[in-house]
PDB file of all heavy atoms in Angstrom:
ATOM      1  N   GLU A  21     -14.165  11.351 -13.795  1.00 97.00           N
ATOM      2  CA  GLU A  21     -14.213  10.821 -15.173  1.00 97.00           C
ATOM      3  C   GLU A  21     -15.668  10.321 -15.403  1.00 97.00           C
ATOM      4  O   GLU A  21     -16.140   9.484 -14.664  1.00 97.00           O
ATOM      5  CB  GLU A  21     -13.195   9.681 -15.345  1.00 97.00           C
ATOM      6  CG  GLU A  21     -13.353   8.827 -16.597  1.00 97.00           C
ATOM      7  CD  GLU A  21     -13.137   9.607 -17.876  1.00 97.00           C
ATOM      8  OE1 GLU A  21     -11.998  10.031 -18.143  1.00 97.00           O
ATOM      9  OE2 GLU A  21     -14.121   9.811 -18.601  1.00 97.00           O
ATOM     10  N   ASP A  22     -16.302  10.834 -16.449  1.00 96.00           N
ATOM     11  CA  ASP A  22     -17.711  10.459 -16.659  1.00 96.00           C
ATOM     12  C   ASP A  22     -17.885   9.159 -17.467  1.00 96.00           C
ATOM     13  O   ASP A  22     -18.971   8.624 -17.527  1.00 96.00           O
ATOM     14  CB  ASP A  22     -18.538  11.594 -17.244  1.00 96.00           C
ATOM     15  CG  ASP A  22     -18.038  11.970 -18.636  1.00 96.00           C
ATOM     16  OD1 ASP A  22     -16.817  11.990 -18.834  1.00 96.00           O
ATOM     17  OD2 ASP A  22     -18.876  12.242 -19.504  1.00 96.00           O
ATOM     18  N   GLU A  23     -16.827   8.721 -18.116  1.00 95.00           N
ATOM     19  CA  GLU A  23     -16.930   7.421 -18.823  1.00 95.00           C
ATOM     20  C   GLU A  23     -16.782   6.340 -17.775  1.00 95.00           C
ATOM     21  O   GLU A  23     -15.682   6.057 -17.273  1.00 95.00           O
ATOM     22  CB  GLU A  23     -15.832   7.291 -19.853  1.00 95.00           C
ATOM     23  CG  GLU A  23     -16.045   8.132 -21.105  1.00 95.00           C
ATOM     24  CD  GLU A  23     -14.807   8.175 -21.971  1.00 95.00           C
ATOM     25  OE1 GLU A  23     -14.295   7.105 -22.338  1.00 95.00           O
ATOM     26  OE2 GLU A  23     -14.338   9.304 -22.225  1.00 95.00           O
ATOM     27  N   ASP A  65     -10.863  14.384 -15.946  1.00 94.00           N
ATOM     28  CA  ASP A  65     -11.310  14.381 -17.335  1.00 94.00           C
ATOM     29  C   ASP A  65     -11.664  15.815 -17.743  1.00 94.00           C
ATOM     30  O   ASP A  65     -11.984  16.653 -16.903  1.00 94.00           O
ATOM     31  CB  ASP A  65     -12.534  13.458 -17.443  1.00 94.00           C
ATOM     32  CG  ASP A  65     -13.049  13.348 -18.867  1.00 94.00           C
ATOM     33  OD1 ASP A  65     -12.254  13.531 -19.802  1.00 94.00           O
ATOM     34  OD2 ASP A  65     -14.248  13.046 -19.025  1.00 94.00           O
ATOM     35  N   LEU A  66     -11.549  16.104 -19.036  1.00 90.00           N
ATOM     36  CA  LEU A  66     -11.814  17.446 -19.512  1.00 90.00           C
ATOM     37  C   LEU A  66     -13.306  17.714 -19.714  1.00 90.00           C
ATOM     38  O   LEU A  66     -13.869  18.660 -19.177  1.00 90.00           O
ATOM     39  CB  LEU A  66     -11.051  17.679 -20.794  1.00 90.00           C
ATOM     40  CG  LEU A  66     -10.790  19.111 -21.141  1.00 90.00           C
ATOM     41  CD1 LEU A  66      -9.743  19.725 -20.240  1.00 90.00           C
ATOM     42  CD2 LEU A  66     -10.365  19.247 -22.595  1.00 90.00           C
ATOM     43  N   MET A  67     -13.930  16.842 -20.530  1.00 89.00           N
ATOM     44  CA  MET A  67     -15.332  17.039 -20.828  1.00 89.00           C
ATOM     45  C   MET A  67     -16.162  16.263 -19.799  1.00 89.00           C
ATOM     46  O   MET A  67     -16.156  15.037 -19.792  1.00 89.00           O
ATOM     47  CB  MET A  67     -15.656  16.543 -22.254  1.00 89.00           C
ATOM     48  CG  MET A  67     -14.930  17.279 -23.354  1.00 89.00           C
ATOM     49  SD  MET A  67     -15.247  19.054 -23.332  1.00 89.00           S
ATOM     50  CE  MET A  67     -16.932  19.049 -23.946  1.00 89.00           C
ATOM     51  N   LEU A  68     -16.870  17.012 -18.971  1.00 92.00           N
ATOM     52  CA  LEU A  68     -17.623  16.380 -17.891  1.00 92.00           C
ATOM     53  C   LEU A  68     -18.987  17.014 -17.778  1.00 92.00           C
ATOM     54  O   LEU A  68     -19.134  18.210 -18.023  1.00 92.00           O
ATOM     55  CB  LEU A  68     -16.917  16.648 -16.549  1.00 92.00           C
ATOM     56  CG  LEU A  68     -15.614  15.886 -16.257  1.00 92.00           C
ATOM     57  CD1 LEU A  68     -14.872  16.586 -15.152  1.00 92.00           C
ATOM     58  CD2 LEU A  68     -15.926  14.443 -15.905  1.00 92.00           C
ATOM     59  N   PRO A  69     -19.982  16.241 -17.390  1.00 92.00           N
ATOM     60  CA  PRO A  69     -21.261  16.884 -17.104  1.00 92.00           C
ATOM     61  C   PRO A  69     -21.159  17.657 -15.818  1.00 92.00           C
ATOM     62  O   PRO A  69     -20.368  17.303 -14.911  1.00 92.00           O
ATOM     63  CB  PRO A  69     -22.221  15.664 -16.943  1.00 92.00           C
ATOM     64  CG  PRO A  69     -21.333  14.527 -16.579  1.00 92.00           C
ATOM     65  CD  PRO A  69     -19.974  14.801 -17.172  1.00 92.00           C
ATOM     66  N   GLU A  96      -9.121  16.990 -28.591  1.00 64.00           N
ATOM     67  CA  GLU A  96      -9.218  18.166 -27.718  1.00 64.00           C
ATOM     68  C   GLU A  96      -7.876  18.872 -27.530  1.00 64.00           C
ATOM     69  O   GLU A  96      -7.548  19.329 -26.446  1.00 64.00           O
ATOM     70  CB  GLU A  96      -9.801  17.749 -26.360  1.00 64.00           C
ATOM     71  CG  GLU A  96     -11.222  17.232 -26.470  1.00 64.00           C
ATOM     72  CD  GLU A  96     -11.684  16.510 -25.194  1.00 64.00           C
ATOM     73  OE1 GLU A  96     -10.869  16.214 -24.303  1.00 64.00           O
ATOM     74  OE2 GLU A  96     -12.919  16.250 -25.116  1.00 64.00           O
ATOM     75  N   LYS A 114      -6.385  10.282 -24.235  1.00 88.00           N
ATOM     76  CA  LYS A 114      -7.085   8.999 -24.297  1.00 88.00           C
ATOM     77  C   LYS A 114      -7.152   8.491 -25.723  1.00 88.00           C
ATOM     78  O   LYS A 114      -7.346   9.295 -26.631  1.00 88.00           O
ATOM     79  CB  LYS A 114      -8.509   9.148 -23.750  1.00 88.00           C
ATOM     80  CG  LYS A 114      -8.563   9.473 -22.273  1.00 88.00           C
ATOM     81  CD  LYS A 114      -9.987   9.419 -21.766  1.00 88.00           C
ATOM     82  CE  LYS A 114     -10.590  10.806 -21.755  1.00 88.00           C
ATOM     83  NZ  LYS A 114     -11.900  10.866 -21.035  1.00 88.00           N
TER      84      LYS A 114
HETATM   85 CA1  LIG B 329     -15.662  12.908 -20.547  1.00 97.83          CA
END
Side-chain angles (χ1 to χ4, degrees):
E21 167 63 69
D22 64 320
E23 286 168 55
D65 181 26
L66 201 73
M67 298 301 288
L68 286 163
E96 296 167 348
K114 293 188 264 190

